[in-house]
């Protein structure tokens, strides 16, 4: 089958690899119809992780069930399904508690597993024609018949990661109706956090970035765009909140944060959030921060550390929640919002490419070229 293979920093190729297949009775084999390039893929693409050459990338996947293992009894051949990026067993202590991002079974020695992801198991990704799904009955989210429509797939494929991850950011921060919310990062996850805060009836949603095309997308759903290239984002938030700061804040960038001059500052968004969020406010962090980053230009970040304004954080009595999204905790209800027409996350999609053009998609998305907001790959195209 054809698949997107990581060959080294900024070097991917679409090539023939061994066919994905049923390996255990609990497996499901999915023919991929839509798979996204995620900002998290770029950390690996840029060589900022220990991703092994030869691995198939892709953790935002959906498609049609092509085959089921002998022990699978809920999911059927022909079902349209979306796959959470994190792989859970469904029966370990963490999965039973809804903490499926921290499954204790799928990757022994590590809490958590994912498709095509550095340090999260040997599982190939879904930027390919087919994907093997372990524990298929548990991990497959069945979609309604309209998901066979290629255009509707642009909404439903977002359930694999970024829509639940954006929602998770607002959950970690504790966003409630009537809150003011500031979101650092207008990439796909930040835009999904803005959508989630809006769906939760936040009274004011502010999105900070310096990419004009992404800020315009935030404005399309009623968010207030804060252009950090025009002055301190903290000062702008304070002005918009009467000097109090936002009730809640979301970090949706991570350790490769850049200022408007494109200099990397791993601690920039976290410290800006401490200053932007009110006394006793909540902060949710879903941008990736890794235990180590040997190729970082920042000496602390090489060891997985940042210079954090702990003094102000403590003095302001704030609280913070962090970590990958437990996708299965949210994806069913978010699916139903899409089906009911209450949410349309595909508004962020900028490019739909055949799988054969994946290298071009990665190149433009990695460069943050104007207009390249979210790329969906179509293996069947």
């Amino acid at each position: 089958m054809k698949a997107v293979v990581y060959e080294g920093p900024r070097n991917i190729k679409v090539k023939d690899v061994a066919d994905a297949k049923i390996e255990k009775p609990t497996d499901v084999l999915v023919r991929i119809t839509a798979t996204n390039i995620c900002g998290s893929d770029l950390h690996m693409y840029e060589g900022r992780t220990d991703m092994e050459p030869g691995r198939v990338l892709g953790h935002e996947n959906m498609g049609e069930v092509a085959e089921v293992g002998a022990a699978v009894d809920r999911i059927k051949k022909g079902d349209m399904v979306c796959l959470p990026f994190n792989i859970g067993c469904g029966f370990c202590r963490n999965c039973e508690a809804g903490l499926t991002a921290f499954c204790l079974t799928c990757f022994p020695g590590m809490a958590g597993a994912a498709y095509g992801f550095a340090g999260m198991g040997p599982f190939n990704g879904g930027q390919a024609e087919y994907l093997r799904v372990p524990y298929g009955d548990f991990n497959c989210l069945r979609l309604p018949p309209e998901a066979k429509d290629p255009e509707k797939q642009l909404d439903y494929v977002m359930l694999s990661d970024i829509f639940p991850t954006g929602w998770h950011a607002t959950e970690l921060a504790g966003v409630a109706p009537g809150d003011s919310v500031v979101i650092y990062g207008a990439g796909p996850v930040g835009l999904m956090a803005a959508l989630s805060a809006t769906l939760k009836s936040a009274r004011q949603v502010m999105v900070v970035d310096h990419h004009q095309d992404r800020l315009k997308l935030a404005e399309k759903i009623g968010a207030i765009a804060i252009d950090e290239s025009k002055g301190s984002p903290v000062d702008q938030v304070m002005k918009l909140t009467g000097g109090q700061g936002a009730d809640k804040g979301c970090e949706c960038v991570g350790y490769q944060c850049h200022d408007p001059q494109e200099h990397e500052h791993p601690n920039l968004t976290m410290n800006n959030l401490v200053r932007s969020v009110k006394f006793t406010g909540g902060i949710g962090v879903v941008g990736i921060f890794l235990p180590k980053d040997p190729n970082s230009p920042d000496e602390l970040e090489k060891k997985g550390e940042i210079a954090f304004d702990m003094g102000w954080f403590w003095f302001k009595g704030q609280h913070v929640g962090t970590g990958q999204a437990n996708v299965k905790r949210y994806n069913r209800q978010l699916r139903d919002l899409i089906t009911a027409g209450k949410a349309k996350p595909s508004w962020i999609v900028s490019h739909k490419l055949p799988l054969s053009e994946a290298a071009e998609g990665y190149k433009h998305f990695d460069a943050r070229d104007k207009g390249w907001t979210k790329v969906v790959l179509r293996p069947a195209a």
Side-chain angles (χ1 to χ4, degrees):
M1 67 177 187
K2 299 290 185 184
V4 176
V5 178
Y6 175 75
E7 305 245 299
R10 290 188 167 87
N11 181 13
I12 63 164
K13 292 182 180 177
V14 178
K15 56 196 295 187
D16 289 320
V17 301
D19 288 344
K21 62 182 180 180
I22 299 290
E23 297 179 16
K24 295 183 178 180
T26 49
D27 288 350
V28 163
L29 185 67
V30 175
R31 181 180 66 84
I32 298 298
T33 58
T35 176
N36 303 335
I37 300 176
C38 178
S40 299
D41 290 323
L42 298 183
H43 303 309
M44 293 172 283
Y45 175 73
E46 294 171 3
R48 296 290 289 270
T49 70
D50 56 0
M51 188 66 166
E52 311 94 333
R55 292 281 304 278
V56 177
L57 295 172
H59 58 270
E60 296 190 6
N61 311 303
M62 71 161 289
E64 182 178 2
V65 174
E67 187 180 347
V68 300
V72 175
D73 63 3
R74 185 179 69 88
I75 298 299
K76 308 298 182 185
K77 182 177 179 180
D79 284 347
M80 294 299 296
V81 295
C82 189
L83 298 320
F85 76 89
N86 31 44
I87 307 168
C89 67
F91 54 78
C92 72
R93 181 174 185 171
N94 283 349
C95 283
E96 286 187 344
L99 303 173
T100 55
F102 303 93
C103 176
L104 299 169
T105 302
C106 290
F107 185 31
M110 176 71 176
Y115 303 102
F117 210 94
M120 298 196 72
F123 307 97
N124 272 334
Q127 289 173 5
E129 293 178 307
Y130 288 89
L131 176 68
R132 173 196 165 225
V133 179
Y135 301 107
D137 266 336
F138 181 69
N139 287 301
C140 291
L141 175 71
R142 188 184 286 119
L143 302 173
E146 68 176 8
K148 289 186 179 293
D149 180 347
E151 287 305 305
K152 289 301 296 182
Q153 289 175 19
L154 301 178
D155 289 312
Y156 286 113
V157 71
M158 303 305 166
L159 295 168
S160 58
D161 181 355
I162 61 166
F163 193 7
T165 294
W167 191 273
H168 187 56
T170 65
E171 289 284 299
L172 291 172
V175 173
D179 278 345
S180 63
V181 183
V182 60
I183 296 161
Y184 275 81
V189 170
L191 293 171
M192 289 298 107
L195 173 61
S196 300
T198 300
L199 289 167
K200 290 184 173 187
S201 297
R203 76 173 190 275
Q204 182 184 46
V205 180
M206 299 164 281
V207 179
V208 178
D209 208 303
H210 56 268
H211 292 281
Q212 299 299 316
D213 53 334
R214 297 183 174 193
L215 288 172
K216 286 178 181 177
L217 284 173
E219 290 178 324
K220 283 189 175 182
I221 58 167
I224 300 168
I226 294 180
D227 185 349
E228 61 182 343
S229 69
K230 295 183 178 179
S232 163
V234 176
D235 290 346
Q236 294 184 64
V237 171
M238 286 298 172
K239 183 176 181 180
L240 287 164
T241 58
Q244 298 298 307
D247 295 312
K248 309 289 164 55
C250 298
E251 202 291 332
C252 299
V253 183
Y255 71 105
Q256 286 188 257
C257 176
H258 288 69
D259 63 23
Q261 291 72 44
E262 296 302 333
H263 300 128
E264 187 172 311
H265 301 277
N267 63 345
L268 182 62
T269 50
M270 287 301 299
N271 289 339
N272 278 345
L273 273 165
V274 169
R275 302 289 178 132
S276 300
V277 172
K278 72 175 186 179
F279 281 75
T280 74
I283 298 170
V285 183
V286 295
I288 289 181
F289 290 86
L290 295 177
K292 61 179 181 178
D293 176 18
N295 295 319
S296 175
D298 182 272
E299 289 301 315
L300 283 177
E301 177 56 33
K302 287 180 178 179
K303 301 179 288 183
E305 301 171 0
I306 63 171
F308 180 57
D309 287 344
M310 187 66 197
W312 271 111
F313 175 70
W314 184 91
F315 191 70
K316 294 181 78 171
Q318 295 169 338
H319 61 271
V320 62
T322 70
Q324 293 187 349
N326 305 297
V327 171
K328 280 190 63 68
R329 176 172 285 188
Y330 315 118
N331 64 357
R332 188 182 297 267
Q333 69 193 79
L334 299 181
R335 174 201 64 188
D336 293 346
L337 285 174
I338 293 172
T339 304
K342 300 292 186 181
K344 191 172 177 59
S346 63
W347 107 92
I348 69 168
V349 174
S350 59
H351 293 78
K352 298 168 281 186
L353 303 177
L355 190 71
S356 60
E357 296 180 19
E360 193 73 7
Y362 266 90
K363 177 183 175 182
H364 288 290
F365 189 49
D366 179 56
R368 276 69 168 177
D369 285 342
K370 184 176 180 180
W372 287 77
T373 310
K374 188 64 175 175
V375 181
V376 180
L377 301 174
R378 289 259 170 81

